[in-house]
Amino acid sequence: MLKAGQAAPMFVLPDADMELIDIARFQGRSHIILFFYPRDGAPCCTLQATDFSDHEDEFARLDCQIFGISPDDCLKHAEFRDEHGISVCLLSDEDGMACRQYGVWQEREVNGVRKSGIVRSTFIIDKQGVLRLAQYGVNAKGHALAMLRAVKELNS
């Protein structure tokens, strides 16, 4: 698992419109929030993505780009975005490369059965490409506002 103070792993992933997004291109220009979530359409995942979207303008005023990442494909992301009015950029990590880089693909036990999957996690990367916050196992409710406060502290 990653920790604050480390250099953030860089990657290139397609968004819901199948355009490649290289997060390294934001270095020197914007802070980045990455929120990893298990799948499009699940209640907590929908809450998290819409909550970040509801506060996107406030994040933008703080020079902050937001990216939601799950293993769902681009078409599923586009349907999810359009159905729920999600405005933040959703990235498709179908092969799990970014999930492994950020340590969010983990094994856990559910009802006595060991399964692998995404642990809901959020990372704040500063303009220099350094992780300022790494949170694993986050609760979706109220999380976007907590991240907004964290970015405000980063800017002060």
Side-chain angles (χ1 to χ4, degrees):
M1 292 198 298
L2 300 176
K3 293 181 174 47
Q6 290 180 277
M10 296 292 140
F11 56 79
V12 178
L13 291 174
D15 68 7
D17 297 320
M18 297 184 215
E19 292 183 33
L20 292 177
I21 304 295
D22 181 351
I23 67 165
R25 79 173 198 220
F26 296 97
Q27 214 163 340
R29 298 185 348 207
S30 300
H31 303 301
I32 296 173
I33 291 182
L34 303 177
F35 68 94
F36 288 84
Y37 64 100
R39 62 182 164 65
D40 294 338
C44 285
C45 299
T46 302
L47 172 67
Q48 187 175 22
T50 56
D51 207 15
F52 273 111
S53 293
D54 289 346
H55 298 286
E56 189 177 23
D57 290 343
E58 295 167 76
F59 282 106
R61 283 193 288 278
L62 298 169
D63 295 325
C64 191
Q65 296 286 324
I66 304 167
F67 299 97
I69 303 170
S70 86
D72 291 313
D73 65 31
C74 298
L75 294 174
K76 189 146 173 96
H77 276 339
E79 290 170 7
F80 179 55
R81 174 195 65 197
D82 296 346
E83 181 181 343
H84 296 284
I86 295 166
S87 60
V88 296
C89 186
L90 300 176
L91 302 178
S92 175
D93 188 23
E94 284 188 88
D95 67 3
M97 180 213 41
C99 290
R100 287 189 301 280
Q101 284 179 303
Y102 278 80
V104 302
W105 188 263
Q106 298 178 12
E107 191 174 279
R108 54 197 163 157
E109 194 170 312
V110 179
N111 299 325
V113 178
R114 297 197 72 66
K115 292 183 175 187
S116 292
I118 291 182
V119 172
R120 188 180 313 282
S121 305
T122 304
F123 303 87
I124 297 177
I125 305 167
D126 70 14
K127 291 179 182 180
Q128 288 71 46
V130 175
L131 284 171
R132 291 299 171 195
L133 182 76
Q135 288 187 345
Y136 294 88
V138 302
N139 184 340
K141 188 173 183 178
H143 187 63
L145 284 175
M147 294 302 96
L148 187 59
R149 285 191 296 273
V151 172
K152 285 179 181 176
E153 287 176 21
L154 184 62
N155 279 350
S156 60

